[in-house]
Amino acid sequence: MKLKLFHYILLLVLVFTFQACSVNKDTLQSVAQTDSASQIVEFKNETLDLLVKYKKKLDIRNPNSFNRGLAKNIYFQINTNQNYINIIQNKVKLKTSQEYLHYAFSKDEVKNRNDFLIIGLYKLIYNAYNLKEEHHFTSLQYNKSEMLKLYQYLQVIRWKIRTSKDNKNQYLFNTWQNNWQLELMKKDDSNLNIIKDLKYIKSKKESIYDSSNFSFENIISEILVNIKHTLKEINVEPYDMSISAIKSFVFII
């Protein structure tokens, strides 16, 4: 009788022990997912701050390529995580990131090109971080394919901003060029003797030996770091694209 009672008690202990282990495992997983979600919110907020910073720099460097009347709304949309701006271009209301990026990198003359780039970037971020949902309690609520798409597109966009030119062989965006180079582009650059008389060279504020301006590219690189960390938090291994892969990808954007 005593032996049976002992076996019964032992069985109960084992049952409760396994249940406790199961509860602890589930609890730990839940805590880990919640912690990841909190980290992702930080990456998202920093990404949006960097996008605002990029717009400000881009508009200063390309002052004739953005709509001043729309700027306040773009900032408000980004800062409040909304998605209500839809520009009408050629009598068509643009809605997707793909549509905006098409005009941002079009070789044709495009008015307010900066706005198409920024809104296109924002819509990619909006979809990847699912900003239409106010709260994400676990990392599982994020769309892996949209986040990976954002990471890939950003690598291509960074390269296109640096290299793309219009039908007149002018760069679409002035970003990496130094001030003396921008000044030279407005003159007859076939006569290199005029370089010494350029405003920024003559005043010795810049030199022809100065390195290019990487501040714009650095901002996008910082955004990419945030997206890479986010991908790891949602159990997706990010990968960096080679130049050849980027060049084959450019036709998609």
Side-chain angles (χ1 to χ4, degrees), residues 26 29-38 40 128-130 133 135-145 147 230-236:
D26 292 341
Q29 287 179 338
S30 177
V31 169
Q33 289 170 9
T34 303
D35 183 59
S36 291
S38 298
I40 291 172
Y129 280 103
N130 194 17
E133 299 291 338
H135 303 290
H136 296 83
F137 297 103
T138 73
S139 57
L140 299 177
Q141 292 177 271
Y142 291 92
N143 189 312
K144 293 181 179 181
S145 61
M147 195 66 68
T230 301
L231 283 166
K232 290 182 177 180
E233 291 291 342
I234 60 176
N235 298 319
V236 176

Side-chain angles (χ1 to χ4, degrees), residues 50 158 214 216-226:
L50 287 167
R158 179 176 59 180
F214 291 108
F216 286 89
E217 194 161 318
N218 288 341
I219 293 175
I220 293 185
S221 296
E222 287 182 63
I223 294 176
L224 276 165
V225 169
N226 285 328

